Amino acid sequence: MTEQENALRAGAGSAHDVDGIAPRVRLRDRDAELRSVDAAIERLCRGFAAGGTEIGDLLTFSGRPGIGKTSLLHEVRRLAKLRDGTTVLFARGGERQFKDPYHVLRQLLQPVLSNLQPEAYSQVMGTWEEVVGPAMGLKQPKAGARRLDPQGVRDGLDYVLTQLAPRRAPMVMIVDDLHWADGESLSWLTKFAIRSSELPVLLVFAFREDENDWPVETQDFLKDVLALKARKHELNRLTLSSVTDMIRAELGDKAEDAFCYEFWNVVNGNPFEANALLDQVREQELEPVEENSRQLRELAVDAAGMTLKSWLDRLGASTLRFAWACAMLGTDIRVDLATRISTQSTEGARDSIKQLRKQRVLTQTPNGNLEFVHPLIASSIYNTMPDATRLGMHGIAAAEIENAGLGLLAASRHLVETHSGEGDDRIVKKLRRAAVEHQLIGAPEAAQRCLHRALNEPPADEIKAEVLYELGCSALLTDPVATVNQLRLALDPDEVPLRPALRVDATFRLSEVLAHAGELGQAALVCQGEAEKTADPAGRQRLQAAAFMWHAFRKSEEDGQGRSARLGEMCRSLSGREAADRAVLAMRAWDLTLRGAPSSDALALADEVLDGGRLPKGLGWTDTTWGFELPAMLSLTYIYNDRIAQAERLAADAIIQFEIAGWSGAHRGFAYFLMGLARFRRGLLAEAEDFLRRAHRISERIGEKLPLAWDAVGVLVDTLIARGRLDEAWRMANDFGFHPPYHATAMVLPDAASLYGKLLVAKDKHAGAAAALTEAGAQLEVRGWRNTVWAPWAGHLAIAIADDEPERAREYAQRAVRDARAFGTASAIGSALRLHARIEDGQAAVELLEDAVAYLGQSPAGYEHAVALVDLGAALRRVGRLEDAQEYLYQGIELAQHCSAEGLVDRARRELANYGLRPNRLGLRDFRDTIETLSNAEWEVAKRAVQGVPPQRIADELGVPIGLVNRRLAAVYRKAGSGPDGLASALGLPQQQGRDAGRPEDLDD
Ligand SMILES: Nc1ncnc2c1ncn2[C@@H]1O[C@H](COP(=O)(O)OP(=O)(O)O)[C@@H](O)[C@H]1O
Ligand SMILES: [Mg+2]
């Protein structure tokens, strides 16, 4: 047969279809699959044409090697491209490339992203350019960039795809050999596949279903893939008649039925194996007759089990060497690289390629690169390499790839496969640099592979600890346990010590990971111990301060008072205002806040930390010298000292900074928590709930019941109580296990026991509440923490015991008021007074609540204010002052509505209704109230409408579109509570008014 025919059959050579990429093969026995493909593409295109966006779908093709997955995907590509306007993206995993971070996603997305016009590009990338760009190989990381959190890259990719898909819809995204996709790509793809139905995207995956075909490193993803909701197609073997057809097309009609039957059995209907066996039959010139069918099985064994010797016989040594070089490179093989790696001349390489194409090992793609005809052949060739050759050739590959200017990232995959044990400093250096580069694209695992390999080299003694330190840092965002172990090794006193500056840093990082895992006492000890050994004053101060910080976050400490005194001492002895000094001030500000010391003192210190209201250099959210705990302490200080707007600015900044840095784990979760807490304190309960739920979700994603989850759940329960969803709060607390002894080692923000006691009081479980709150009080007293907002235990304890022990209850309530006054913020005093009033009756309660309302009215604590208003209304009703009661209850309802405190609204309405008062204000809202809610633009429209000017003329006069006028009119009618007829009177305007009218209040003045 001619080479051309051969190529057509085996999928090589020139018979390419429309797109010039995929060879066309007649697909037998795939009618059902092709119909499914057709239907999916049709649905996508039609759905999109009809204006649909949530029309995504997922098709999967699975089956054994050689069964025809790739051939089907080529057909999907071809069919999709025949449609107008579709965007077809394609990528494939490679057996040799599954350790290349983002290898698959880069193939998939690079072409389409880099083809966008600059404006579209920046819209698609949004704020994620510095995260997604480097990971997708679209740009170099910015100078001074920090390590990226892979979760950040995934979040960024979600954003980018959400932007990209509608712009390039309908979009078909195809991934072949998903089982060899790199872990970074897989972990995004499997999640994206779940939500792709929300986008105009058809996803098509092909993969081997046998888990042994998946690399151990990524095997876990198989179950994710199998669990996906998809139109699944498991490819069946070809029928006897199809295989018979194939045989006769090749060998002529003389092929006998019995021969064909045996042939079909031997290849088990597998088209790849059928082709391979046909080659053998032809080569051996076996007559296709019944008597010869017994020899087929042997031939098939030969065809499948190619050994080193059989490849050598077939190709010759120098051609085989070229094939090895290609196998090492995997897919999309550059001829020049393969040539240099095989150490052949250009001439020699040309001969090898010719030979390998003839033998149907390689095929050339339109871009001039080489591909193996089938990955089974690539595996077979790679696996016949003798160990020494393989290790050596990887070394050459690494060097050649670097020489070709493809960078260390690309070279490192080969570097990690080379010989170790030579102690080559240059290799160690390269691997360390490659590790850094991997971190910058959000691939910490690849970084760790490089560093592990560097350790095996091994590095020189003086730098071994440094490599361990780097290894520890590389896992900081993803694998705390590994980090701890490696950093401990780096600090091992029996080894050649780290440079002093790195020692301080390694100790700080170790303490950080310990702290995040809840081991705060350990964290503090590690810092204290190292501080004593540190000669450099700056390093020592950093470690001492860190020890203070970790102690402060512990659930309990033996010497809280002493620590606080020492911290105060340290604070006074500071002479400068460097970042390290300000760090100490921030800690002291938080310490004072917890102690309930005068609020003005804490605020004065906090304000000294900031630079014009912003975090100073060196203490930013993503600064690694101090970690995010420091700005977090500062934000908490502002939250608890009634400067919530400042805290919100800091928290918003945190969310953005962490997004930009791609730190999507605990960091972003904590930022959401802070924002949630701030919103809660301010009384914006619905928003608080949303932020806190996000924080909780992120925390659960990282690990089970981390301190962050405790924080989020605690405040969430409090928020739900405030919103009047007590049962839900109770269920949430129980499901999570929010009860004593709380987190084993870490302090919960805010005080867990107070929250828990409050919940029990709300559930009328007074005895349990009393026990929990008494215990809380005793613990806090030891520490000297008396902040009644952070830990309102005394006020709630008073309520819990009021019925049985009224005197003791009063002592607690008064004590809380005293402590609150000492602290001095309006919200603290107001809330303490309000709680005290709960255990008093008659005039005493009224007076306390009048005071409480006055204080809370000057604080940002909106919800607390609303509760006090309603409580005051109820107390006034009880002493018979109905008119006043009504007024406060109305005010309370309005504020409670603003806070989304639905339960409080109901309580106030019931209070009104039960005593014969109207549950709502009579509709006599003053027109002034309405006018205040109109925007200037709405007012302009309203004035003209009252004069009877028709909408089109209003539009002309104001120079705005008619649609806008109509929308504004609708808003005016809604706010005024009136249609056109009554509008004038609703707005307090005369019916026929001069056209130059101002707002009525202007006229009044
Ligand atoms: N349905 C089919 N009918 C005939 N030949 C096929 C069919 N499917 C695949 N082939 C041939 O079998 C070989 C292996 O197919 P391929 O699609 O690469 O399999 P897989 O991707 O599942 O390993 C190719 O040479 C291809 O041309
Ligand atoms: Mg395939």
Side-chain angles (χ1 to χ4, degrees):
M1 77 189 284
T2 65
E3 203 177 322
Q4 172 110 19
E5 285 163 348
N6 187 10
L8 221 180
R9 188 184 52 73
S14 54
H16 291 289
D17 77 335
V18 280
D19 62 10
I21 297 167
R24 283 210 66 187
V25 172
R26 182 177 157 213
L27 294 185
R28 301 169 194 271
D29 301 325
R30 296 291 179 252
D31 292 351
E33 287 80 4
L34 288 171
R35 271 200 305 277
S36 173
V37 168
D38 249 342
I41 295 175
E42 173 69 24
R43 260 194 315 276
L44 178 77
C45 293
R46 218 186 257 207
F48 185 71
T53 45
E54 305 201 353
I55 50 177
D57 208 348
L58 171 62
L59 284 181
T60 65
F61 298 105
S62 61
R64 288 175 297 129
I67 199 70
K69 302 179 292 297
T70 300
S71 309
L72 251 171
L73 291 192
H74 279 318
E75 201 55 21
V76 177
R77 261 174 114 175
R78 196 183 64 82
L79 291 170
K81 285 192 178 178
L82 290 178
R83 303 288 184 126
D84 275 346
T86 48
T87 306
V88 183
L89 311 181
F90 179 84
R92 67 196 292 200
E95 188 176 16
R96 304 264 76 79
Q97 281 125 314
F98 76 90
K99 288 181 182 168
D100 247 4
Y102 305 107
H103 174 239
V104 161
L105 287 178
R106 285 179 174 199
Q107 288 175 67
L108 204 58
L109 298 177
Q110 241 181 31
V112 58
L113 289 175
S114 50
N115 268 337
L116 291 171
Q117 295 299 317
E119 198 184 330
Y121 180 80
S122 63
Q123 282 164 2
V124 165
M125 298 297 255
T127 56
W128 293 96
E129 188 171 348
E130 293 305 324
V131 176
V132 173
M136 289 301 104
L138 291 164
K139 64 180 300 190
Q140 290 293 322
K142 254 213 319 252
R146 299 177 195 289
R147 64 174 71 106
L148 285 182
D149 178 351
Q151 181 60 44
V153 177
R154 291 194 288 273
D155 290 347
L157 285 166
D158 282 342
Y159 178 87
V160 167
L161 260 289
T162 311
Q163 295 298 314
L164 178 69
R167 285 184 168 78
R168 302 301 303 266
M171 202 153 98
V172 182
M173 290 169 74
I174 306 171
V175 182
D176 194 7
D177 290 339
L178 189 72
H179 51 278
W180 285 328
D182 57 284
E184 288 78 6
S185 296
L186 267 173
S187 81
W188 180 77
L189 275 170
T190 46
K191 296 214 177 57
F192 178 70
I194 295 173
R195 47 173 291 266
S196 62
S197 62
E198 298 159 13
L199 296 170
V201 170
L202 173 63
L203 266 179
V204 188
F205 291 161
F207 58 93
R208 299 184 186 172
E209 213 168 296
D210 184 337
E211 70 170 4
N212 296 316
D213 286 324
W214 288 63
V216 258
E217 288 85 343
T218 54
Q219 228 166 54
D220 283 351
F221 288 108
L222 172 58
K223 64 174 188 324
D224 296 340
V225 171
L226 292 178
L228 289 172
K229 223 176 116 255
R231 291 168 207 279
K232 297 181 184 172
H233 299 280
E234 218 176 303
L235 298 190
N236 288 324
R237 60 181 185 171
L238 302 187
T239 58
L240 171 60
S241 80
S242 294
V243 173
T244 305
D245 255 11
M246 284 168 76
I247 299 170
R248 293 201 171 129
E250 195 64 39
L251 306 175
D253 288 341
K254 61 180 190 278
E256 290 179 4
D257 281 352
F259 180 89
C260 292
Y261 180 75
E262 181 60 13
F263 186 106
W264 175 67
N265 259 328
V266 166
V267 300
N268 195 18
N270 184 303
F272 173 80
E273 287 175 32
N275 285 328
L277 187 56
L278 271 176
D279 283 347
Q280 289 279 336
V281 169
R282 211 174 335 101
E283 228 160 80
Q284 306 289 325
E285 297 178 353
L286 193 72
E287 275 298 298
V289 293
E290 180 165 12
E291 302 85 86
N292 283 342
S293 43
R294 259 163 303 145
Q295 290 180 49
L296 282 171
R297 200 161 289 273
E298 250 167 67
L299 282 184
V301 170
D302 285 351
M306 290 289 284
T307 58
L308 175 57
K309 183 172 175 315
S310 44
W311 279 119
L312 257 180
D313 291 349
R314 188 160 147 197
L315 302 175
S318 92
T319 301
L320 181 56
R321 195 173 166 81
F322 189 85
W324 281 341
C326 292
M328 194 127 28
L329 291 172
T331 55
D332 206 19
I333 302 152
R334 264 173 61 168
V335 175
D336 59 332
L337 279 178
T339 305
R340 275 197 296 269
I341 295 168
S342 66
T343 56
Q344 287 188 355
S345 64
T346 316
E347 265 314 286
R350 203 172 297 143
D351 283 347
S352 296
I353 295 173
K354 201 166 156 209
Q355 167 80 346
L356 287 164
R357 288 182 61 177
K358 189 153 160 244
Q359 292 286 337
R360 288 178 302 285
V361 170
L362 289 179
T363 144
Q364 206 142 16
T365 59
N367 67 4
N369 288 353
L370 299 170
E371 286 283 3
F372 281 92
V373 163
H374 194 275
L376 283 169
I377 298 176
S379 311
S380 166
I381 289 194
Y382 186 82
N383 292 334
T384 57
M385 289 176 89
D387 283 352
T389 313
R390 194 183 64 244
L391 295 172
M393 277 182 101
H394 274 300
I396 304 175
E400 290 298 346
I401 286 173
E402 243 198 301
N403 292 344
L406 297 177
L408 258 183
L409 275 182
S412 68
R413 169 167 81 75
H414 298 281
L415 270 184
V416 298
E417 305 278 349
T418 54
H419 271 295
S420 60
E422 313 216 321
D424 184 340
D425 287 348
R426 281 174 333 195
I427 300 264
V428 171
K429 217 184 218 161
K430 279 192 180 156
L431 286 163
R432 289 171 70 192
R433 258 183 37 225
V436 171
E437 292 188 17
H438 276 122
Q439 309 242 43
L440 295 180
I441 63 162
E445 281 158 13
Q448 283 149 35
R449 282 194 291 271
C450 293
L451 292 169
H452 276 296
R453 173 64 187 76
L455 278 177
N456 282 342
E457 181 61 16
D461 283 347
E462 319 83 78
I463 57 169
K464 178 170 168 213
E466 227 164 284
V467 178
L468 278 164
Y469 160 76
E470 287 161 7
L471 195 52
C473 292
S474 69
L476 214 52
L477 293 166
T478 47
D479 188 350
V481 179
T483 306
V484 168
N485 293 339
Q486 282 142 3
L487 289 175
R488 277 196 201 284
L489 280 174
L491 292 163
D492 188 343
D494 296 336
E495 296 286 339
V496 180
L498 263 178
R499 281 185 282 136
L502 284 186
R503 261 196 92 82
V504 170
D505 202 58
T507 309
F508 182 81
R509 303 238 166 281
L510 174 59
S511 76
E512 218 179 0
V513 191
L514 287 169
H516 293 178
E519 303 285 343
L520 290 147
Q522 275 288 328
L525 283 181
V526 163
C527 292
Q528 263 166 261
E530 189 66 28
E532 280 161 25
K533 287 185 267 174
T534 304
D536 167 50
R540 194 171 53 238
Q541 184 181 340
R542 180 173 173 207
L543 291 175
Q544 278 168 344
F548 276 124
M549 176 160 81
W550 302 135
H551 276 306
F553 282 122
R554 283 171 69 191
K555 180 177 174 179
S556 59
E557 56 181 331
E558 312 70 40
D559 184 26
Q561 314 257 22
R563 178 183 56 82
S564 174
R566 286 193 299 279
L567 182 57
E569 200 58 47
M570 193 170 174
C571 218
R572 276 186 293 280
S573 70
L574 294 178
S575 47
R577 284 295 176 265
E578 299 301 311
D581 304 313
R582 294 184 195 230
V584 177
L585 296 183
M587 269 175 228
R588 180 61 174 163
W590 178 228
D591 181 52
L592 289 176
T593 302
L594 287 170
R595 301 178 66 75
S599 170
S600 49
D601 293 357
L603 283 175
L605 290 179
D607 289 345
E608 260 196 81
V609 177
L610 292 185
D611 244 348
R614 313 194 51 137
L615 291 171
K617 219 167 143 262
L619 288 184
W621 286 106
T622 54
D623 227 285
T624 48
T625 314
W626 286 99
F628 75 99
E629 283 80 3
L630 234 113
M633 281 181 164
L634 205 59
S635 309
L636 287 166
T637 301
Y638 283 119
I639 289 178
Y640 282 94
N641 285 286
D642 278 4
R643 290 259 298 272
I644 300 181
Q646 176 65 271
E648 284 175 339
R649 276 197 293 279
L650 291 174
D653 192 36
I655 293 173
I656 292 172
Q657 295 294 322
F658 292 149
E659 266 182 16
I660 291 174
W663 292 3
S664 290
H667 293 88
R668 197 134 71 92
F670 196 80
Y672 285 143
F673 166 72
L674 276 180
M675 191 59 113
L677 180 63
R679 293 286 205 255
F680 171 74
R681 285 291 303 150
R682 189 194 257 267
L684 297 173
L685 302 177
E687 288 183 29
E689 184 180 336
D690 184 50
F691 278 115
L692 294 165
R693 284 194 191 279
R694 287 199 222 181
H696 184 212
R697 270 199 301 277
I698 289 182
S699 180
E700 295 292 289
R701 195 165 71 188
I702 306 168
E704 215 183 313
K705 294 186 84 168
L706 299 177
L708 172 59
W710 280 90
D711 299 344
V713 169
V715 184
L716 199 48
V717 165
D718 214 2
T719 305
L720 291 173
I721 298 176
R723 299 198 68 181
R725 284 145 58 189
L726 182 56
D727 290 337
E728 200 181 328
W730 181 245
R731 227 175 309 126
M732 164 150 236
N734 277 327
D735 291 350
F736 181 80
F738 197 98
H739 48 62
Y742 316 109
H743 191 281
T745 49
M747 172 173 83
V748 180
L749 317 173
D751 181 54
S754 299
L755 289 177
Y756 180 62
K758 185 175 170 187
L759 174 65
L760 291 182
V761 170
K763 288 289 286 181
D764 282 330
K765 295 178 187 290
H766 285 179
L773 292 167
T774 308
E775 162 79 19
Q779 294 241 351
L780 291 161
E781 193 55 37
V782 173
R783 247 178 157 171
W785 286 3
R786 295 195 169 159
N787 188 311
T788 56
V789 181
W790 162 267
W793 63 275
H796 291 283
L797 176 56
I799 297 170
I801 62 174
D803 287 345
D804 301 333
E805 302 175 80
E807 274 318 302
R808 220 180 116 223
R810 184 161 296 128
E811 274 167 33
Y812 280 121
Q814 286 168 345
R815 176 203 157 130
V817 173
R818 258 196 329 275
D819 285 346
R821 286 189 196 279
F823 182 48
T825 64
S827 73
I829 302 172
S831 298
L833 287 167
R834 177 181 76 70
L835 287 175
H836 184 186
R838 280 273 163 101
I839 62 165
E840 301 290 353
D841 283 327
Q843 185 56 23
V846 169
E847 280 168 20
L848 283 169
L849 285 167
E850 278 172 345
D851 253 10
V853 164
Y855 274 109
L856 288 168
Q858 294 167 35
S859 83
Y863 169 72
E864 284 290 319
H865 187 199
V867 181
L869 286 167
V870 174
D871 283 0
L872 177 55
L876 287 166
R877 196 269 308 154
R878 282 195 297 273
V879 298
R881 289 167 55 188
L882 294 190
E883 206 156 304
D884 290 341
Q886 185 164 294
E887 185 50 37
Y888 280 111
L889 288 169
Y890 286 153
Q891 279 186 34
I893 288 176
E894 261 173 41
L895 190 50
Q897 278 168 337
H898 176 71
C899 293
S900 317
E902 291 86 7
L904 188 57
V905 173
D906 288 348
R907 176 154 79 86
R909 289 238 164 88
R910 273 199 310 277
E911 187 72 42
L912 287 162
N914 286 352
Y915 296 94
L917 302 170
R918 292 176 199 286
N920 292 304
R921 280 188 205 272
L922 285 182
L924 301 175
R925 293 181 61 123
D926 191 344
F927 65 79
R928 281 154 215 271
D929 293 344
T930 305
I931 289 170
E932 242 172 57
T933 67
L934 292 185
S935 68
N936 277 329
E938 286 163 354
W939 174 244
E940 288 303 317
V941 174
K943 270 191 326 196
R944 290 173 170 79
V946 166
Q947 293 159 12
V949 183
Q952 184 58 59
R953 249 189 49 218
I954 300 183
D956 295 344
E957 281 182 21
L958 296 175
V960 297
I962 174 80
L964 191 60
V965 169
N966 284 332
R967 277 205 299 285
R968 286 186 183 155
L969 270 176
V972 169
Y973 294 144
R974 180 170 48 75
K975 290 179 180 178
S978 168
D981 289 346
L983 188 60
S985 87
L987 295 178
L989 295 175
Q991 199 63 252
Q992 288 301 323
Q993 200 200 359
R995 300 207 57 176
D996 54 345
R999 295 197 178 200
E1001 62 264 50
D1002 301 339
L1003 296 175
D1004 285 351
D1005 289 342

